Amino acid sequence: MATDKTRVPPGQSVTDKWPVLHYASVPRFDPARWNFRIFGLVEQPAPLTYDQFMALPQSKITCDIHCVTAWSRLGVTFEGVLAKDVLGLARVRPEARFATVHAEQGYAANLSLEYLLADDAIFAHKADGQNLTPEHGWPLRLVVPRLYFWKSAKWARGVELIAEDRPGFWEQRGYHMKGDPWKEERYGDPW
Ligand SMILES: Nc1nc2c(c(=O)[nH]1)N[C@H]1C(S)=C(S)[C@@H](COP(=O)(O)O)O[C@H]1N2
Ligand SMILES: [Mo]
């Protein structure tokens, strides 16, 4: 099938593979200890157990993923809980404008709430009908299709709602605070 070029952001090449990219090692998953925290600027901080998280209403989205290292993979279907449904449980306060998504081993990514509350941002446990592999973020990863893939934290463990944007793991190391692939927001201003 020919690639629809209008789906590929500038400077990206399409691959049929799904590369594995991350800092540090693949964390071990212990369902008895795992929890998911929604905290910061919320009316009601909501810590969820694994069973509680998995019992939330399930959704599916199909999207393209764009890594800042220039590969794109088109048409992946993710299944899980929409981020807006997760955040709805804690009732986000009006002052919150950004979020830091926290993951295992200190990884974090910041993004504007506009992207996290959109209809296409999902905390996923399945990709293309199969459970995510540990390398791709099992038991739970964020997928934010409209931002470069480093914002899509694997092994996600919580969301912190904040008023002012604060750099996450890669953003502290020079990646862009926003990361829109259509604008090629790959790297931020030099410090
Ligand atoms: N927890 C965590 N999530 C992460 C990363 C990481 O280092 N740790 N790397 C990010 C980067 S840079 C990319 S490109 C994607 C890669 O996801 P994949 O390995 O499923 O392709 O995960 C993102 N999420
Ligand atoms: Mo990346």
Side-chain angles (χ1 to χ4, degrees):
M1 202 174 67
T3 298
D4 177 358
K5 294 234 169 53
T6 63
R7 273 171 70 176
V8 186
Q12 297 292 111
S13 312
V14 173
T15 175
D16 294 329
K17 300 197 187 75
W18 188 356
V20 171
L21 282 169
H22 54 257
Y23 172 78
S25 55
V26 175
R28 196 183 300 122
F29 169 50
D30 177 355
R33 288 177 156 216
W34 190 96
N35 64 0
F36 192 93
R37 300 199 308 139
I38 310 166
F39 61 107
L41 296 173
V42 294
E43 299 293 348
Q44 200 174 329
L48 297 165
T49 64
Y50 183 66
D51 289 344
Q52 286 169 334
F53 195 100
M54 295 304 283
L56 296 174
Q58 301 291 307
S59 301
K60 258 188 210 180
I61 63 129
T62 298
C63 66
D64 302 334
I65 59 189
H66 309 294
C67 175
V68 73
T69 61
W71 58 266
S72 291
R73 177 173 165 83
L74 305 185
V76 190
T77 299
F78 290 99
E79 211 173 316
V81 185
L82 292 180
K84 65 173 186 179
D85 292 340
V86 182
L87 293 179
L89 297 172
R91 288 186 285 127
V92 175
R93 300 227 306 248
E95 315 88 89
R97 290 183 49 237
F98 297 89
T100 296
V101 178
H102 293 275
E104 301 282 356
Q105 298 169 332
Y107 187 83
N110 61 297
L111 72 172
S112 161
L113 266 194
E114 164 197 347
Y115 289 91
L116 201 56
L117 295 177
D119 290 336
D120 60 355
I122 190 165
F123 283 98
H125 50 82
K126 280 195 166 82
D128 291 334
Q130 306 290 319
N131 284 338
L132 287 176
T133 60
E135 295 73 25
H136 285 301
W138 175 263
L140 191 74
R141 81 170 302 158
L142 177 61
V143 176
V144 185
R146 289 181 295 125
L147 296 175
Y148 281 123
F149 211 33
W150 87 78
K151 301 285 188 184
S152 294
K154 303 196 273 191
W155 314 297
R157 289 290 301 275
V159 180
E160 180 181 0
L161 285 304
I162 53 183
E164 305 289 340
D165 204 4
R166 210 172 58 202
F169 181 87
W170 287 118
E171 294 81 4
Q172 287 172 30
R173 289 159 178 79
Y175 282 23
H176 201 280
M177 290 292 274
K178 187 160 173 218
D180 180 344
W182 296 97
K183 297 183 185 157
E184 282 206 78
E185 292 171 339
R186 297 174 190 272
Y187 306 103
D189 297 329
W191 289 44

